[in-house]
Amino acid sequence: MAARTEQDVLDAIERRRRRPHVKLMDEHVTLAHGAGGKSTHVLVETLFMKELGNPLLEPMGDSASFRLYDEVGPGVALSTDSYVVKPLFFPGGDIGELAVNGTVNDLAMAGGRPLYLSAGFIIEEGFPTADLQRVAASMGRAARDAGVAVVAGDTKVVERGKADGLYVCTSGVATVDHDLKLGPAAIRTGDRVIVSGTLGDHGMAIMIARGELELEVDLESDSAPLHELVATLLEATDEVRCLRDPTRGGLATVMCELAMAAGVGITLDEAALPVRPEVNGACEILGIDPLYVANEGKLVAIVAAEAAERAVAALRSHPLGADAAVVGEVRAEPPGMVVLDTAFGGSRVVDMLAGDPLPRIC
Amino acid sequence: MAARTEQDVLDAIERRRRRPHVKLMDEHVTLAHGAGGKSTHVLVETLFMKELGNPLLEPMGDSASFRLYDEVGPGVALSTDSYVVKPLFFPGGDIGELAVNGTVNDLAMAGGRPLYLSAGFIIEEGFPTADLQRVAASMGRAARDAGVAVVAGDTKVVERGKADGLYVCTSGVATVDHDLKLGPAAIRTGDRVIVSGTLGDHGMAIMIARGELELEVDLESDSAPLHELVATLLEATDEVRCLRDPTRGGLATVMCELAMAAGVGITLDEAALPVRPEVNGACEILGIDPLYVANEGKLVAIVAAEAAERAVAALRSHPLGADAAVVGEVRAEPPGMVVLDTAFGGSRVVDMLAGDPLPRIC
């Protein structure tokens, strides 16, 4: 499939703007609208893209990349995420660390070097200042570890009962030095799908930390900054087509988005998917597919077939990519769809996440 | 007072980091911590600056300015604000317009040209999608009016009762083309204080929109993008020392911050302060001083005495600065304090906002 030209994108935006005002089917926002799956997609497409659409927002990637001074000078990436994770503190991290690493990772997926973050805090009246201090300290540590600085901030307080303790919103700026056109438009038939490690660790760690399950499992969030892992990958090969971090909605949802955006079919090999036995076990009990469970320290790379081996070797050379593996392939058929070849020799269609089995996971 | 060198700033940050862990006096966050006044200042100083402090965050301006590629290339400004205004829709604007203009204005105070915004939405389950559409449409209009594009976004949904309808967090990036060192460090004795128009319109419009007052006053928020007004000012004179937009906490709080940061005294002339009679009237009924009421379309400029007339003329040449006036002066004494010369010939000390008489004004 050929990449869309800038005029194609502008035309599409104009068509959307002129479209009669389509009411969302839902008259009220549901938790599913925030789950990152099908409902989020519909909300963003029919509402936000219609009102706010522009060529930089249109690719709907993890971040937007642009040049600040016309076409002169190197690229810049901007990204934002709000964090409403519950509980605020969990094995392997907390909302502060997550807010730093999550935004660092969105920037890393553009192949950027994250430099500066902003942080907005929405705090519920009555929130313990000791907890706020713990979150701030954790953000400070995560920022130093990732080599970024929080340079702008904002603090708002809402009345008791009007928020759930603490929400954090971080945005970040990165420089982008490479000339690769990373994104769905670069994906070609025959490309390989690579994940950098085990799937579902973050989501399951949160579920277990909530204490709603009667499970005693030793599982930590995989929250980690991925920009160095990406740099290692991009040093090894320039045949990377697209990078995503499979957070809300998990690997399945990211794959569906890419298959639709690129107009290709994606086949995943269930036997090749790296999933910890503890995560598999917890997922079975909950009746959730680990393919839909959030990750906060993993990436998905679509890479040209001939570079796949080199890419996996590069990822494995970094501690955060030790379990990297090829898990799938891009095919011409069925366009816009993801198919899973199951471990039992069958195959089934993988759809976007519907509903929200794991609310407030990030 | 001489400007602090970079080493001074680094030393101060290191001293703060080494300081024993001071517990905040308050064990719980109060509404006052979000009011932008004294409590916010203490929270930011003892908690956020200690954990996250760095030379770019240290000036605690409306935005952070830096160069993305070492010392090469033009400057860039980054800013963020979360919006929790209540009600979401009010005369003269809504949360969407506010979230665009507020962040545009934070960037404008660096003398920047705002270009790209990100937007994060935290939505309560059950929020009417029609209202969300109205907010998105309003953001789109405000963005087009201000010449900026929303290029990155995020949507989170929290359970019913866990938020108050909708919170919006915007961040923004601007290019900074001038070489002025805008900030408190540039302030000198003898400088003049200029405001671009009437004070307190936004805060009072919100209070009246809440319907808690039995007042029938025709008052609109002054929400407006100020970057063109700033550009007009900076074209007229390069003797601007510092720019701020007096939002939460109003003019009084900004003046106190600048007096403390610059180690100077600031005298305000009550008779010169432009305040609409409706705002004055509503403030009297509420027992609130308009000096502390939020503005969303006004700026305060500290300008060299000899350039003050030129600066006021430039501001007045723009529709958003039609009521610009010199309202005060920078003096050597009393250092760190703001004094109001009252209309009755007396004078009184103006302190930072204490408590929060007007919660969730932005």
Side-chain angles (χ1 to χ4, degrees):
Chain A
M1 186 199 155
R4 296 201 293 178
T5 65
E6 200 182 325
Q7 194 55 49
D8 292 340
V9 174
L10 287 172
D11 290 348
I13 292 170
E14 197 45 41
R15 276 197 305 277
R16 185 186 288 118
R17 198 166 282 160
R18 277 205 235 106
R19 219 181 279 166
H21 223 70
V22 183
K23 260 203 180 170
L24 270 173
M25 292 225 307
D26 303 291
E27 283 193 12
H28 295 94
V29 174
T30 65
L31 284 175
H33 286 117
K38 203 176 275 185
S39 302
T40 307
H41 194 82
V42 171
L43 185 75
V44 170
E45 270 290 333
T46 59
L47 201 150
F48 291 120
M49 290 304 295
K50 181 172 166 75
E51 303 296 351
L52 303 172
N54 60 70
L56 286 170
L57 184 61
E58 188 75 14
M60 291 199 276
D62 291 315
S63 67
S65 292
F66 45 82
R67 290 174 198 279
L68 274 177
Y69 286 86
D70 301 319
E71 289 308 306
V72 189
V76 179
L78 174 67
S79 180
T80 194
D81 256 333
S82 302
Y83 298 85
V84 299
V85 66
K86 185 183 180 174
L88 298 173
F89 303 95
F90 47 81
D94 61 33
I95 193 173
E97 184 190 330
L98 203 62
V100 170
N101 287 341
T103 291
V104 162
N105 290 348
D106 283 342
L107 296 168
M109 296 309 118
R113 185 179 157 224
L115 290 174
Y116 301 117
L117 300 189
S118 67
F121 299 87
I122 299 176
I123 313 169
E124 182 182 3
E125 180 187 9
F127 188 70
T129 48
D131 284 353
L132 194 58
Q133 193 132 29
R134 209 174 139 197
V135 169
S138 161
M139 287 188 85
R141 261 194 313 276
R144 285 188 289 278
D145 288 352
V148 299
V150 176
V151 299
D154 179 49
T155 305
K156 292 288 187 324
V157 181
V158 295
E159 308 92 317
R160 215 174 282 264
K162 297 295 182 192
D164 197 13
L166 175 67
Y167 305 137
V168 180
C169 179
T170 49
S171 301
V173 168
T175 50
V176 181
D177 282 318
H178 62 76
D179 289 321
L180 303 173
K181 296 267 179 206
L182 296 175
I187 295 175
R188 296 287 174 275
T189 305
D191 289 350
R192 298 296 191 266
V193 179
I194 297 172
V195 297
S196 65
T198 55
L199 299 173
D201 298 8
H202 175 75
M204 276 303 121
I206 297 291
M207 288 311 286
I208 289 165
R210 282 191 197 154
E212 293 160 9
L213 309 174
E214 302 274 319
L215 286 177
E216 287 278 344
V217 184
D218 203 16
L219 196 57
E220 292 203 336
S221 165
D222 57 348
S223 173
L226 294 173
H227 58 299
E228 287 182 0
L229 184 65
V230 170
T232 306
L233 174 64
L234 295 182
E235 262 167 44
T237 170
D238 56 5
E239 303 219 56
V240 177
R241 316 293 203 192
C242 182
L243 292 168
R244 287 288 167 95
D245 63 332
T247 55
R248 274 185 304 180
L251 180 66
T253 299
V254 168
M255 290 295 97
C256 289
E257 281 173 8
L258 293 186
M260 280 197 294
V264 297
I266 294 181
T267 303
L268 296 175
D269 175 8
E270 190 174 35
L273 295 169
V275 182
R276 283 181 208 281
E278 311 90 284
V279 170
N280 247 333
C283 279
E284 264 176 38
I285 291 169
L286 282 168
I288 294 175
D289 187 334
L291 268 184
Y292 292 95
V293 181
N295 310 276
E296 290 289 346
K298 301 292 153 45
L299 63 81
V300 170
I302 311 285
V303 177
E306 60 275 20
E309 211 173 298
R310 208 156 60 242
V312 169
L315 290 170
R316 286 191 178 162
S317 75
H318 191 284
L320 290 174
D323 297 317
V326 174
V327 300
E329 194 181 322
V330 178
R331 300 192 179 162
E333 299 291 331
M337 287 179 77
V338 179
V339 174
L340 182 76
D341 288 339
T342 67
F344 305 107
S347 75
R348 63 174 174 87
V349 169
V350 175
D351 207 348
M352 268 194 175
L353 183 69
D356 192 357
L358 306 170
R360 296 183 58 188
I361 217 73
C362 59
Chain B
M1 186 201 157
R4 296 202 294 177
T5 66
E6 201 183 324
Q7 194 55 49
D8 291 340
V9 174
L10 287 171
D11 290 348
I13 292 170
E14 197 44 43
R15 276 197 304 277
R16 184 186 289 118
R17 199 165 280 160
R18 278 207 233 102
R19 218 181 280 165
H21 224 70
V22 184
K23 262 205 180 168
L24 271 174
M25 293 226 307
D26 304 291
E27 284 192 11
H28 296 95
V29 174
T30 65
L31 284 175
H33 286 117
K38 202 176 273 183
S39 302
T40 307
H41 194 83
V42 170
L43 184 75
V44 170
E45 270 289 334
T46 60
L47 201 151
F48 291 119
M49 289 305 294
K50 181 173 166 72
E51 304 295 350
L52 302 172
N54 61 69
L56 286 170
L57 184 61
E58 188 74 14
M60 291 198 274
D62 291 314
S63 66
S65 291
F66 45 82
R67 288 174 200 279
L68 274 177
Y69 287 86
D70 302 320
E71 289 309 307
V72 190
V76 178
L78 174 68
S79 180
T80 194
D81 255 334
S82 301
Y83 297 85
V84 299
V85 66
K86 186 181 179 176
L88 298 173
F89 304 95
F90 47 81
D94 61 35
I95 191 171
E97 183 189 331
L98 203 61
V100 170
N101 286 342
T103 292
V104 162
N105 290 348
D106 282 343
L107 296 168
M109 296 309 120
R113 185 180 157 224
L115 290 174
Y116 301 117
L117 300 190
S118 67
F121 300 86
I122 299 177
I123 313 169
E124 182 182 4
E125 181 187 9
F127 188 70
T129 48
D131 284 353
L132 195 58
Q133 192 132 30
R134 208 173 140 197
V135 170
S138 162
M139 287 186 85
R141 261 193 313 276
R144 285 187 290 277
D145 287 352
V148 299
V150 176
V151 298
D154 178 51
T155 306
K156 292 289 189 321
V157 181
V158 295
E159 307 91 318
R160 215 174 280 266
K162 298 295 182 190
D164 198 11
L166 174 68
Y167 304 138
V168 180
C169 180
T170 49
S171 301
V173 168
T175 50
V176 182
D177 282 318
H178 63 76
D179 289 320
L180 302 173
K181 297 266 179 210
L182 297 174
I187 295 174
R188 298 286 176 276
T189 306
D191 288 349
R192 297 298 192 267
V193 179
I194 297 171
V195 296
S196 64
T198 55
L199 299 174
D201 298 8
H202 174 75
M204 275 304 119
I206 297 290
M207 288 311 285
I208 289 164
R210 281 193 196 152
E212 292 160 9
L213 308 173
E214 303 274 319
L215 286 178
E216 288 277 344
V217 184
D218 203 16
L219 196 57
E220 292 203 337
S221 165
D222 56 350
S223 174
L226 294 172
H227 58 299
E228 286 182 0
L229 184 65
V230 171
T232 306
L233 174 63
L234 295 182
E235 261 167 46
T237 171
D238 55 5
E239 304 221 55
V240 177
R241 315 294 203 193
C242 184
L243 292 168
R244 287 286 167 95
D245 62 332
T247 56
R248 272 185 304 181
L251 181 67
T253 299
V254 168
M255 290 294 98
C256 289
E257 280 172 9
L258 294 186
M260 281 197 292
V264 296
I266 294 180
T267 303
L268 296 175
D269 175 7
E270 190 174 34
L273 295 170
V275 182
R276 283 181 206 281
E278 309 91 283
V279 171
N280 246 335
C283 279
E284 263 176 38
I285 291 169
L286 283 168
I288 294 174
D289 187 334
L291 268 183
Y292 292 95
V293 180
N295 310 276
E296 291 290 344
K298 300 291 153 46
L299 63 81
V300 69
I302 312 285
V303 176
E306 60 274 21
E309 212 172 299
R310 207 156 59 243
V312 169
L315 290 170
R316 284 189 180 165
S317 75
H318 191 283
L320 290 174
D323 298 318
V326 173
V327 299
E329 193 182 322
V330 178
R331 298 191 179 161
E333 299 291 332
M337 288 179 77
V338 179
V339 174
L340 182 77
D341 288 341
T342 67
F344 306 107
S347 74
R348 63 173 173 87
V349 169
V350 175
D351 208 347
M352 265 193 178
L353 182 68
D356 191 358
L358 305 171
R360 298 184 54 189
I361 218 73
C362 60

